[in-house]
Amino acid sequence: MKTGAVTVYCIVNTHLISPAQRDRMWLTVLYSCTGGAALLYALYRWVIPAAVQYHGGLALIWHDVIVERMLDTLTQSTRPQRILDAVQKNATRGDPRSVVKAIDHFCRNKEWAMNVGDEKGCILDSVVSEVNPATVLELGTYCGYSTVRIASLLPPHAKLITLEFNPDFAAIARQVIAWAGLEDKVQLVEGASGDWIPKMKEQFGVKTFDLVFLDHWKNSYLPDTKLMEECSLLRKGSVLLADNVICPGAPDYLEFVRSSPRYKSQYFKSHLEYTKVEDGLEKSVFLG
């Protein structure tokens, strides 16, 4: 009885309110929805990104899991596809620096991505220029950002081989590299690094690498380094440059190259791409 009485009372009272009261009620609902939407947008666009700027774990969870999945669902596209779209809309075809600039602008102002980034990218550029390598191996292509940075600085007739395990990432990277006009300098290979490293000499005619850039799975840094040693792909003076050694981190790799008498290592302190979280690059010269 009590439930029925309440229902009848509510229905009767709905019909008893005046048109002006009904309009005010809908305006209140509209303002509440608008205010709620504005609050959610502010949280998404400014508040949460600012809050996670200084915390590595939270930054990765927010940007690389929550936001990426949400935008993938809303746009029915992937982050690499959105990066490619930004390149094709904003970068000049055949201009590697404009490609790098377009990706950096996209990642700083629209959507974070796991490139080496503009800050650490300058360190990468300086090491490439210092080594002036004739042969380069990149482990982890992703969308081709660091590939473009490296290839654009190589001397004529230099060879850059970049390995990418994910075929979807590789497909996007090929288009980014081509847009930069560097496809003739880069050989992109799909597959696992552990499978391809032993085939380097036979498949690509490489004796040793002057420079190796490690930016793939962090737990693969150490086994792949040892595998390169076993396959004699490192010569005296070969340089290993490893990204993200602090965040997400590669502690076993750092311990190995810093304690081994076969390497002379130097840490370049920086920040996780497009954040204020401490990260850095480890440069390790192979002593033979």
Side-chain angles (χ1 to χ4, degrees), residues 106-212:
F106 176 83
C107 294
R108 277 211 176 272
N109 298 284
K110 293 188 177 181
E111 185 178 352
W112 183 94
M114 57 180 180
N115 310 303
V116 67
D118 45 7
E119 187 178 349
K120 288 184 293 181
C122 292
I123 301 171
L124 172 62
D125 291 351
S126 66
V127 172
V128 174
S129 298
E130 174 194 345
V131 176
N132 194 33
T135 52
V136 182
L137 175 62
E138 179 184 39
L139 301 178
T141 315
Y142 188 43
C143 295
Y145 173 90
S146 53
T147 313
V148 169
R149 292 196 81 122
I150 295 169
S152 67
L153 296 171
L154 293 180
H157 312 299
K159 178 182 290 187
L160 167 57
I161 299 171
T162 180
L163 300 183
E164 176 52 54
F165 178 77
N166 186 312
D168 295 328
F169 294 169
I172 296 295
R174 282 194 178 90
Q175 295 178 74
V176 171
I177 293 163
W179 196 271
L182 295 169
E183 62 267 47
D184 292 340
K185 280 192 171 185
V186 178
Q187 185 149 12
L188 196 160
V189 181
E190 292 180 34
S193 53
D195 295 335
W196 275 107
I197 287 173
K199 302 176 185 177
M200 285 291 158
K201 293 190 176 186
E202 178 185 351
Q203 294 287 327
F204 305 108
V206 176
K207 292 183 178 179
T208 58
F209 287 105
D210 300 325
L211 175 66
V212 179

Side-chain angles (χ1 to χ4, degrees), residues 238-258:
S238 290
V239 173
L240 306 183
L241 188 65
D243 188 22
N244 301 126
V245 294
I246 303 300
C247 183
D252 56 344
Y253 173 81
L254 283 183
E255 182 181 0
F256 175 75
V257 294
R258 289 175 177 179

